Amino acid sequence: MTQAAPNDIADLASGKDHNQENFPVASWLLRPDARAPVMAYYRFARAADDIADNPDASAADKLRLLRHMRKGLTGVGAAEAMELAHVCRNRGISVVHAMELLDAFEQDCRQSRYEDWDGLIAYCRKSAMPVGRYVLDVHGETRDTWPANDALCAALQIINHLQDCGKDYRVMDRVYIPLPLLHAAGLDESALGGARADRALLDIIHLLTEKTQGLLRQSAGFAAQIRDRRLASEVAVIHALAQDLCTLLLTRDPLVGGVHHSKRRAGWLALGALGRYWLGQLRR
């Protein structure tokens, strides 16, 4: 495609919306007054994500467009960013959660390989944790909830990386699986471009999935820490969906596909999570 001008963000739009995400975004579980601010953040994040993930735009164009997003958070720039900045001003929320997210997308334009688990977590610190922190701020929750939030959000990000490891390599030439793990198994990045994963690659995916399950164990009490019960209900559902996706990653080949929930399976998992959460509330 023709290289995008700095203000042509719409030209890189993927058309994806919040109903197509892996996990609930501003679902009916949230208070009505919280949904609009959460959706403002989602529109901002979706626009920035579409820029960073566009396979045709150059890295230079992406970085210029992301700078245009950043300008909108503190002045005149991208409409999605200006909208979010307006919400943050009205709610007394810092725009740092949006700035940090842009840091992650800019990193995607500059870095396409990772060396270890700590590097992945450092990336998640910018790409995932600020999302949950913003939602918590919208609901007036305390920072005591941040450690559990950070563990859950990092888990969601890494699940996404593992689900899409083949696509990320083929389409974006990005490899989030730490390279030393591949090399130690006698593999290189090209293993991610195959029609299916061999045993050695599956073992690596399973190792990373098990480490992700550790993050989910760290965040197991997150919903119980949240004062807003409607937000806590959504968090309980997200945690259950993440746990099940880890189970799927341990039993299915992400290069073949199918490591995603059907609407029916997601619905049953959500109902089960809500039932367990509210039963726990009644017992308390």
Side-chain angles (χ1 to χ4, degrees), residues 6-171:
N7 61 346
D8 287 337
I9 292 172
D11 291 344
L12 303 186
S14 65
K16 187 175 183 179
D17 67 21
H18 68 288
N19 294 311
Q20 296 168 285
E21 301 293 343
N22 272 340
F23 301 100
V25 177
S27 76
W28 59 270
L29 290 170
L30 296 189
R31 299 193 323 254
D33 68 291
R35 286 182 209 148
V38 172
M39 283 303 301
Y41 192 96
Y42 175 79
R43 285 189 290 272
F44 167 84
R46 171 48 48 207
D49 197 8
D50 286 349
I51 293 168
D53 282 358
N54 188 281
D56 299 313
S58 69
D61 281 338
K62 292 177 182 183
L63 289 169
R64 285 201 299 272
L65 290 167
L66 290 171
R67 284 195 295 272
H68 189 56
M69 297 285 292
R70 192 178 293 274
K71 287 179 180 178
L73 293 173
T74 56
V76 178
E80 297 87 349
M82 293 174 66
E83 177 195 11
L84 178 58
H86 177 73
V87 169
C88 288
R89 285 193 299 271
N90 285 347
R91 294 240 170 188
I93 298 173
S94 172
V95 295
V96 68
H97 305 311
M99 291 287 192
E100 290 174 338
L101 194 63
L102 290 178
D103 290 342
F105 292 130
E106 289 174 353
Q107 181 171 320
D108 277 332
C109 297
R110 298 186 176 104
Q111 179 178 345
S112 61
R113 302 292 187 273
Y114 289 82
E115 291 299 316
D116 52 32
W117 178 260
D118 288 345
L120 286 180
I121 296 300
Y123 173 75
C124 293
R125 169 64 186 82
K126 294 180 283 189
S127 68
M129 298 176 192
V131 179
R133 291 180 179 186
Y134 172 84
V135 174
L136 290 168
D137 279 358
V138 166
H139 286 81
E141 300 291 331
T142 71
R143 292 194 174 190
D144 292 342
T145 59
W146 280 19
N149 166 81
D150 293 353
L152 177 58
C153 289
L156 303 184
Q157 180 72 84
I158 294 171
I159 287 169
N160 180 260
H161 289 333
L162 295 176
Q163 286 174 301
D164 295 339
C165 60
K167 178 183 175 183
D168 284 341
Y169 173 71
R170 292 190 303 270
V171 178

Side-chain angles (χ1 to χ4, degrees), residues 234-246:
E234 182 167 280
V235 166
V237 169
I238 290 171
H239 196 276
L241 294 173
Q243 287 180 306
D244 192 63
L245 284 172
C246 283

